[in-house]
Amino acid sequence: LLSSRSAGMFVLLTEKRECFVVEQPIDTQLTLYYEIPALEKIVAEENVADPAAQKAVRVTLVDRRNAKPVFTKTVADHKGEVGIATTAASHFLCLETQRRQTTGPVRVDVDIEVGQGDHWYDTLAADHKMDRLQLEVVRLNDELAQILAEADFMTDKEAKFHRKAERINLAAIWWPILQVFILVVTGVFQVNNLKRFFTTKNLY
């Protein structure tokens, strides 16, 4: 489960996808902040007039239930942010290099924030002419809603784990009983088989 903000660093090889699991309540908004330190240098060395024309890193969010992409975007700038609207509780977040002329590994710094990003709130404040206090109230309401959603998500997850543990315990109880039953049936079958053998051969 994601905390309010989680960060990581990935080294991507050419055209190789790197994925990690992201868990959060359903319909949670995620904001992905990324930075590709080497990209500006690569673009300058290649003398590319339009950096956007040269693909850099593809960001893909995949639903773990059906392996279908929920969100895909190719980023080509040095750093920025991407807003992602999730649909399921568990996803694969995948990063993949797309530049055909990339030489060597590409480092990508990733910072994932649960909720809307700073840019979204700045735009909201500008569009609705909010002062700082009003904007903070909106932020607090969003954070409260997120905390309640996470609490419900963890409760549901704990209930699923409890049901799974009960099934395992039930299997642990019945498995030895089944083994003893099979052993008794096998013993009875062997005894009857030996009796018929001795009776047929007149050995007693």
Side-chain angles (χ1 to χ4, degrees):
L1 178 69
L2 286 174
S3 59
S4 58
R5 194 151 185 165
S6 304
M9 185 270 288
F10 300 89
V11 178
L12 306 180
L13 301 178
T14 303
E15 297 183 353
K16 182 178 180 182
R17 174 180 287 193
E18 295 289 343
C19 299
F20 57 96
V21 177
V22 176
E23 289 189 336
Q24 72 295 310
I26 296 174
D27 297 329
T28 297
Q29 177 72 26
L30 301 179
T31 302
L32 175 69
Y33 299 91
Y34 63 89
E35 183 174 356
I36 310 171
L39 185 58
E40 281 188 332
K41 182 179 178 182
I42 292 173
V43 171
E45 289 178 351
E46 294 178 356
N47 195 23
V48 178
D50 182 10
Q54 297 292 323
K55 298 179 182 179
V57 175
R58 177 186 292 172
V59 180
T60 307
L61 194 70
V62 181
D63 191 332
R64 292 184 67 189
R65 298 172 304 177
N66 50 28
K68 291 184 178 180
V70 177
F71 172 87
T72 300
K73 183 175 181 179
T74 300
V75 296
D77 45 355
H78 175 227
K79 61 181 178 180
E81 65 180 72
V82 177
I84 303 173
T86 61
T87 55
S90 184
H91 298 83
F92 285 117
L93 184 60
C94 300
L95 305 173
E96 180 181 7
T97 59
Q98 295 293 293
R99 290 172 54 83
R100 293 186 298 271
Q101 298 177 358
T102 298
T103 57
V106 176
R107 194 187 92 185
V108 181
D109 298 326
V110 175
D111 193 357
I112 303 175
E113 181 180 3
V114 176
Q116 305 287 358
D118 295 335
H119 179 69
W120 187 87
Y121 285 106
D122 293 340
T123 303
L124 180 68
D127 291 342
H128 294 82
K129 297 180 173 56
M130 293 181 177
D131 57 27
R132 184 174 179 180
L133 180 60
Q134 291 174 321
L135 185 60
E136 286 302 318
V137 170
V138 173
R139 280 181 181 269
L140 288 175
N141 285 334
D142 290 345
E143 290 176 6
L144 179 59
Q146 182 61 35
I147 290 172
L148 294 176
E150 288 181 4
D152 292 340
F153 176 71
M154 293 304 297
T155 300
D156 182 63
K157 196 172 182 180
E158 183 179 355
K160 290 179 180 178
F161 177 78
H162 181 70
R163 290 194 295 268
K164 185 176 181 179
E166 285 185 336
R167 289 196 298 269
I168 293 174
N169 290 336
L170 188 62
I173 292 173
W174 282 103
W175 179 243
I177 295 175
L178 179 61
Q179 287 182 315
V180 171
F181 175 75
I182 293 174
L183 183 62
V184 171
V185 171
T186 303
V188 171
F189 177 78
Q190 291 290 353
V191 169
N192 289 333
N193 191 37
L194 287 172
K195 281 184 65 176
R196 286 196 299 270
F197 175 77
F198 288 128
T199 301
T200 303
K201 299 297 183 179
N202 295 320
L203 297 177
Y204 76 98

